[in-house]
Amino acid sequence: MSTATPATIEDVARLAEVSIATVSRAIHTPDKVAKSTRQRVNQAIAITGYTTNAMARSLRMGRSNMILVLAPDIGDPNFSPILIGIENEARAHGYGVLIGHTQNDPERGLDYLKFLNSNQAAGLVLFTGHEPFGHQELSQRLPPTVAVFEPVFGARVSYVGVDDTAGARKAAEYLLASGHRSIAFIGDSRTKLGHVRRRKGYDLALDAARIAPDRRIVIEGEGSVESGRLAVEQLFMRDTLPSAFMCVNDATAIGVINGLAARGYDLPRDFSVIGFDDVAQATYLHPPLTTVRQPRSAIGRQAMALLLKQLTEPGEGTQEILIMPDLIVRGSVTSAMRSR
Amino acid sequence: MSTATPATIEDVARLAEVSIATVSRAIHTPDKVAKSTRQRVNQAIAITGYTTNAMARSLRMGRSNMILVLAPDIGDPNFSPILIGIENEARAHGYGVLIGHTQNDPERGLDYLKFLNSNQAAGLVLFTGHEPFGHQELSQRLPPTVAVFEPVFGARVSYVGVDDTAGARKAAEYLLASGHRSIAFIGDSRTKLGHVRRRKGYDLALDAARIAPDRRIVIEGEGSVESGRLAVEQLFMRDTLPSAFMCVNDATAIGVINGLAARGYDLPRDFSVIGFDDVAQATYLHPPLTTVRQPRSAIGRQAMALLLKQLTEPGEGTQEILIMPDLIVRGSVTSAMRSR
DNA sequence: ATCGGTCATGTAAAGGTTTACATACTGCTG
DNA sequence: CAGCAGTATGTAAACCTTTACATGACCGAT
């Protein structure tokens, strides 16, 4: 029963008085073994508490049934809901999910690369926005991979995420419809592809509203709470204040709100702020944040579905799936008429 | 170089013109192989890009060098900093870390149990507050385990966490020192051991201040934002309002703050609120939350250190390490004199 | 009665390691 | 020069599976 070492297929075979091959078949291709034998085997399995040794199995088969999800920051509020989408879809198809935390450290990435190299994962989901490994050359023998949330910079990897451009455009159009004409964009349009796309949505909306490019205010910020706060400081330095802040994500928006509150302004009366992501926290801010909602669990689900497709039909082609997000109107945007 | 299939030890052996045994020795016990041979092997390894197949290795050795961390909710703001502590300590000793997300679903727990059963992890860290598996009987062959953050309910498992009682007592004493005499406690004193301990800290402080038990207000709440909001509603029903709210954790405190704000109260003027955990968000609340800080990375580090000790010296004894937390004073508590 | 085919099961190899044991060589000691 | 200790390396078994191939029994058709 509960011996120190787990039961092997051999223990089961002995108890059921068959060969180990028959046991294996009884488990994986039950129709290939006679009914009576099958019953005996199942009984023996129940008695011994046998569980197939996944490691030996994967070693033999040259492929496991685990999916590795790599994230630089587990704490990212977007991560957990996406993960749940991934897990549900994976589980429905008999795959398990493991998470690797890279902390953006190439050393750590390499650890997980070794893991992959040993065939311990059949597929890979990247939440990193870039390849997590220092040595590219090794990447060539990566398993089927799909990136979520942030496209991978300059690599042919499938991607599932929100339609950043369309979402950002919705946000900007909402600000415009509220009467704002001086709208600042805060984000990193230099290195982050997702940010670049959101910036594009902003530009498209302002173009359509015939707001001249030189009347736009764009502040660089890498997308953290701190960067939002800094952006506010910068604007005060310059002394060119917009009536609305369009932030590349909610974290930045939180920084902006804090920065403005710290200077004694009353939101949303004095300034409007809009975010992107709709993190859980957004509802609890003062004012509650108007933002663009990431369809997180849909992203996870579709990413996993795509990965599974790539696993079963290894037909090279990488694919990009963009999901349209919704604007969630809360209280952080007001009509521009009342303010300056 | 980069063939389709990864290089094996055999490829290295052929290239270095030695046997596979020598290669293995050159890697793991270098002093047992002649210097010149060692050099040749290392060269061959470099050329082939050989990486030892962790799966085959673990299968042979009957133990891996991965640690599995099981969490019901990856998104818990306490999780990520603890995890980092765990990872740093693990990495320093040559272990890798994988995370399993159970979502409190026994089915999923069972998946990870299979993982463990295959020796795919040498040790286990539980962030669950309970055993994550439906079938207890199987738990008997669990690898060395330590629980963090929340002690495991009724099981002999080592534990590393904050000293809940002492921390809660500090919080309560601070409220008392601020002149509050009517202090509500909101938490789940029935099923959650951590909550029970915090409640005890609350009771000890109030005992010492000679506040009669029948003048204490205790509201049951399971520790979510929603439960905090609900607790406020309950208190308004009863019409017995405290001057201060001592919340079992920050999530509850956020709920309380929102509940009070929704009813039009001005914090911290009208009510004082204190939390426990010091989540990242705490600084950005209105008012900024006074709370007890979890020494998160220390918990992670010490937990991993303890686990490593258990791995090397399998000497049965389970151990409990309690770390003393600090009170972080921000703006959510004011002197009771000014309010009612 | 022989043959061919189907079905149920067994035998053994393979997957990539680690390591106990065996072997072969070198250089000493007596 | 026999004998021995020590060092460097090789051989092969073991870890636990899956699966191609072989075996043998049985049945129906010739």
Side-chain angles (χ1 to χ4, degrees), chain B residues 50-89:
Chain B
Y50 170 73
T51 270
T52 114
N53 182 319
M55 207 156 32
R57 172 172 221 266
S58 304
L59 176 59
R60 172 61 229 251
M61 308 246 295
R63 114 203 286 263
S64 85
N65 54 164
M66 284 281 170
I67 303 291
L68 181 67
V69 180
L70 239 36
D73 175 16
I74 295 286
D76 186 321
N78 288 298
F79 182 60
S80 155
I82 291 182
L83 180 64
I84 291 178
I86 292 174
E87 283 176 329
N88 291 345
E89 186 75 12

Side-chain angles (χ1 to χ4, degrees), chain A residues 12 73 146 192 201 213 249 271 276 282 293 301 306 321 335:
Chain A
V12 176
D73 175 16
V146 6
K192 291 187 182 157
N249 59 24
F271 294 99
F276 200 119
R293 173 174 294 166
R301 197 162 12 86
L306 181 55
I321 298 178
S335 159

Side-chain angles (χ1 to χ4, degrees), chain A residues 15 28 46 68 89-90 94 132 161 261 280 297 309:
Chain A
L15 195 60
H28 297 104
L68 181 66
E89 186 75 13
S297 86
K309 211 180 85 186

